[in-house]
Short mmCIF file of all heavy atoms in Angstrom, two decimals:
data_model
loop_
_atom_site.label_atom_id
_atom_site.label_comp_id
_atom_site.label_asym_id
_atom_site.label_seq_id
_atom_site.Cartn_x
_atom_site.Cartn_y
_atom_site.Cartn_z
N HIS G 219 -19.48 38.88 99.47
CA HIS G 219 -20.80 38.67 100.09
C HIS G 219 -21.67 37.98 99.05
O HIS G 219 -21.86 38.49 97.94
CB HIS G 219 -21.41 40.01 100.48
CG HIS G 219 -22.82 39.91 101.00
ND1 HIS G 219 -23.13 40.03 102.34
CD2 HIS G 219 -24.00 39.71 100.36
CE1 HIS G 219 -24.44 39.91 102.50
NE2 HIS G 219 -24.99 39.72 101.31
N THR G 220 -22.20 36.80 99.39
CA THR G 220 -23.10 36.10 98.48
C THR G 220 -24.40 35.78 99.20
O THR G 220 -24.42 35.53 100.41
CB THR G 220 -22.47 34.78 97.98
OG1 THR G 220 -22.18 33.92 99.10
CG2 THR G 220 -21.20 35.04 97.20
N GLU G 221 -25.48 35.83 98.46
CA GLU G 221 -26.79 35.44 98.98
C GLU G 221 -27.68 35.05 97.81
O GLU G 221 -27.36 35.35 96.65
CB GLU G 221 -27.42 36.56 99.80
CG GLU G 221 -27.70 37.82 99.03
CD GLU G 221 -28.33 38.89 99.92
OE1 GLU G 221 -28.19 38.84 101.15
OE2 GLU G 221 -28.98 39.78 99.35
N LEU G 222 -28.75 34.38 98.10
CA LEU G 222 -29.65 33.94 97.05
C LEU G 222 -30.18 35.14 96.27
O LEU G 222 -30.43 36.22 96.84
CB LEU G 222 -30.81 33.15 97.64
CG LEU G 222 -30.43 31.79 98.25
CD1 LEU G 222 -31.64 31.18 98.96
CD2 LEU G 222 -29.87 30.84 97.19
N LYS G 223 -30.35 34.93 94.99
CA LYS G 223 -30.76 36.02 94.10
C LYS G 223 -32.08 36.65 94.56
O LYS G 223 -32.26 37.86 94.49
CB LYS G 223 -30.91 35.52 92.66
CG LYS G 223 -31.35 36.60 91.68
CD LYS G 223 -31.39 36.09 90.26
CE LYS G 223 -30.01 35.91 89.71
NZ LYS G 223 -30.02 35.58 88.25
N ARG G 224 -33.01 35.82 95.06
CA ARG G 224 -34.31 36.38 95.44
C ARG G 224 -34.17 37.36 96.62
O ARG G 224 -34.93 38.33 96.71
CB ARG G 224 -35.28 35.27 95.78
CG ARG G 224 -34.97 34.42 96.99
CD ARG G 224 -36.12 33.43 97.24
NE ARG G 224 -35.92 32.61 98.43
CZ ARG G 224 -35.27 31.45 98.44
NH1 ARG G 224 -34.74 30.99 97.31
NH2 ARG G 224 -35.14 30.76 99.56
N TYR G 225 -33.18 37.13 97.50
CA TYR G 225 -32.98 38.06 98.61
C TYR G 225 -32.32 39.35 98.12
O TYR G 225 -32.65 40.44 98.60
CB TYR G 225 -32.13 37.40 99.70
CG TYR G 225 -32.82 36.26 100.39
CD1 TYR G 225 -32.14 35.07 100.65
CD2 TYR G 225 -34.16 36.35 100.78
CE1 TYR G 225 -32.77 34.00 101.28
CE2 TYR G 225 -34.81 35.29 101.39
CZ TYR G 225 -34.10 34.11 101.64
OH TYR G 225 -34.73 33.08 102.25
N MET G 226 -31.38 39.21 97.19
CA MET G 226 -30.78 40.42 96.61
C MET G 226 -31.85 41.27 95.94
O MET G 226 -31.87 42.50 96.09
CB MET G 226 -29.70 40.05 95.59
CG MET G 226 -28.43 39.49 96.18
SD MET G 226 -27.15 39.19 94.93
CE MET G 226 -26.82 40.86 94.37
N GLN G 227 -32.76 40.61 95.22
CA GLN G 227 -33.80 41.35 94.49
C GLN G 227 -34.84 41.97 95.41
O GLN G 227 -35.46 42.98 95.06
CB GLN G 227 -34.46 40.41 93.48
CG GLN G 227 -33.53 39.99 92.35
CD GLN G 227 -34.15 38.97 91.42
OE1 GLN G 227 -35.09 38.25 91.80
NE2 GLN G 227 -33.62 38.87 90.20
N SER G 228 -35.02 41.40 96.59
CA SER G 228 -36.03 41.94 97.50
C SER G 228 -35.44 42.89 98.54
O SER G 228 -36.06 43.90 98.90
CB SER G 228 -36.77 40.81 98.21
OG SER G 228 -35.88 40.04 99.02
N ASP G 229 -34.21 42.60 99.02
CA ASP G 229 -33.68 43.35 100.15
C ASP G 229 -32.60 44.36 99.79
O ASP G 229 -32.42 45.36 100.50
CB ASP G 229 -33.08 42.38 101.19
CG ASP G 229 -34.12 41.43 101.75
OD1 ASP G 229 -35.32 41.78 101.72
OD2 ASP G 229 -33.74 40.33 102.22
N LEU G 230 -31.87 44.12 98.71
CA LEU G 230 -30.73 44.98 98.39
C LEU G 230 -30.97 45.90 97.20
O LEU G 230 -30.91 47.13 97.32
CB LEU G 230 -29.49 44.12 98.13
CG LEU G 230 -28.22 44.86 97.69
CD1 LEU G 230 -27.76 45.83 98.78
CD2 LEU G 230 -27.11 43.88 97.33
N LEU G 231 -31.26 45.33 96.05
CA LEU G 231 -31.26 46.09 94.80
C LEU G 231 -32.33 47.17 94.70
O LEU G 231 -32.07 48.23 94.11
CB LEU G 231 -31.35 45.13 93.61
CG LEU G 231 -30.17 44.15 93.48
CD1 LEU G 231 -30.39 43.21 92.31
CD2 LEU G 231 -28.86 44.90 93.36
N PRO G 232 -33.55 46.99 95.26
CA PRO G 232 -34.58 48.04 95.09
C PRO G 232 -34.18 49.37 95.72
O PRO G 232 -34.55 50.43 95.22
CB PRO G 232 -35.81 47.44 95.80
CG PRO G 232 -35.60 45.97 95.73
CD PRO G 232 -34.12 45.78 95.90
#
Side-chain angles (χ1 to χ4, degrees):
H219 174 105
T220 60
E221 62 180 22
L222 292 173
K223 180 176 287 187
R224 66 175 182 271
Y225 293 136
M226 288 184 65
Q227 292 175 338
S228 63
D229 298 336
L230 176 62
L231 298 178

